[in-house]
């Protein structure tokens, strides 16, 4: 079987050239059911619809839920946090620190980005949800220090994302493990309504309390509530 050798942190790792590769997704939407198990505190849970349309026409991501919904417009550099009776009325805005959705911390489980595309390695084919999935894994390092580990399962037949686990351990300190299960994953263009924001002209910038912890609040956690 053909193999190639890769130099990784001063040691050689053997990579099977016949292994499947992790696909990237920049236009997709799916119902997402997430559970966070923190090192300290209660287990928390969140459900909703995650939507991405990263292209020259839209360039937005969204989280549609009754818990901290938002639309992030990366062309404008603004995240709109929503509420109101219809659920899509702008309550306040926060600036986005990155102009590239795949490299932003706003959407925790981005299915693209440098680490995702360059560090992911095939682990094995594994049974999950009554099917078989390719299991991939990659680290999110700071130099030689692992800040987080990500595990992704892709259905071998449909190519759809089934599960994403993010284990956050900055500087070796265990913080939380977030498991996100995807249902009805679709790479079709998301419905435009997912990116609709009402009353933008009346919307005011959020204060430091609202926006100061925006990345911490949204990244992967999506305003989860105790289980």
């Amino acid at each position: 079987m053909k193999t190639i050798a890769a130099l990784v942190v001063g040691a050689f790792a053997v990579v099977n050239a016949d292994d499947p590769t992790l696909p990237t997704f920049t236009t997709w939407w799916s119902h997402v059911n997430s559970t966070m198990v923190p090192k300290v505190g209660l287990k928390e849970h969140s459900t909703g619809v995650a939507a991405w349309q990263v292209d020259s026409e839209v360039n937005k991501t969204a989280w549609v839920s009754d818990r901290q919904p938002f639309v992030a417009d990366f062309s404008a550099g603004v995240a709109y946090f929503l509420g109101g009776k219809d659920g899509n009325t702008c309550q306040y805005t926060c600036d986005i620190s990155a102009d590239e959705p795949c490299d932003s911390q706003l959407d925790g489980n981005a299915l693209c980005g440098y680490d995702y595309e360059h560090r992911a390695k095939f682990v094995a084919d594994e049974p999950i949800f009554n099917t078989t999935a390719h299991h991939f894994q990659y680290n999110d390092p700071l130099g030689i220090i692992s800040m987080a580990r990500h595990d992704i399962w892709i259905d071998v037949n449909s190519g759809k994302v089934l599960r994403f686990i993010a284990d956050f351990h900055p500087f070796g300190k265990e913080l939380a493990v977030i498991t996100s299960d995807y249902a009805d994953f679709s790479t079709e263009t998301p419905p435009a309504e997912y990116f609709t924001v009402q009353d933008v002209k009346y919307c005011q910038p959020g204060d430091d309390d609202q926006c100061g912890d925006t990345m911490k609040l949204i990244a992967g956690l999506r305003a989860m509530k105790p289980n």
Side-chain angles (χ1 to χ4, degrees):
M1 185 173 291
K2 184 179 179 182
T3 60
I4 57 176
L7 184 61
V8 180
V9 194
F12 285 96
V14 177
V15 179
N16 186 349
D18 296 327
D19 284 346
T21 57
L22 180 60
T24 60
F25 302 93
T26 55
T27 294
W28 60 273
W29 62 280
S30 179
H31 289 85
V32 180
N33 187 346
S34 297
T35 300
M36 181 182 71
V37 180
K39 180 66 175 179
V40 178
L42 298 174
K43 181 170 68 174
E44 300 182 5
H45 183 69
S46 180
T47 59
V49 174
W52 277 57
Q53 187 172 348
V54 178
D55 54 28
S56 58
E57 180 181 352
V58 177
N59 203 31
K60 296 177 181 179
T61 68
W63 172 240
V64 184
S65 173
D66 62 353
R67 304 281 299 186
Q68 199 68 42
F70 71 88
V71 172
D73 185 335
F74 285 86
S75 294
V78 175
Y80 302 95
F81 290 85
L82 311 178
K85 185 177 180 179
D86 57 6
N88 64 0
T89 299
C90 187
Q91 305 297 297
Y92 63 92
T93 65
C94 294
D95 292 338
I96 300 174
S97 60
D99 58 4
E100 169 54 54
C102 294
D103 296 327
S104 170
Q105 294 296 314
L106 191 62
D107 284 276
N109 297 347
L111 302 174
C112 55
Y114 183 86
D115 290 334
Y116 179 103
E117 296 172 28
H118 293 85
R119 301 184 187 277
K121 305 297 182 185
F122 174 69
V123 177
D125 284 340
E126 300 173 356
I128 183 174
F129 303 141
N130 298 315
T131 187
T132 301
H134 297 318
H135 175 192
F136 298 91
Q137 186 178 94
Y138 69 94
N139 285 319
D140 182 2
L142 180 62
I144 63 173
I145 301 173
S146 174
M147 305 295 283
R149 189 188 74 233
H150 306 272
D151 292 82
I152 306 164
W153 286 262
I154 307 288
D155 192 304
V156 298
N157 298 309
S158 66
K160 295 181 178 181
V161 179
L162 298 176
R163 172 171 284 178
F164 192 124
I165 296 180
D167 180 342
F168 297 100
H169 46 259
F171 301 102
K173 182 179 179 180
E174 290 294 335
L175 183 62
V177 176
I178 301 172
T179 300
S180 299
D181 293 331
Y182 295 71
D184 305 321
F185 185 89
S186 173
T187 55
E188 298 294 324
T189 300
E193 64 192 66
Y194 290 161
F195 304 116
T196 298
V197 180
Q198 301 288 351
D199 292 344
V200 171
K201 64 181 180 180
Y202 302 115
C203 204
Q204 299 297 315
D207 58 28
D208 289 342
D209 289 336
Q210 291 171 313
C211 294
D213 290 334
T214 296
M215 301 309 175
K216 178 181 177 182
L217 180 65
I218 298 301
L221 309 181
R222 296 196 175 101
M224 294 182 178
K225 54 187 177 182
N227 198 24

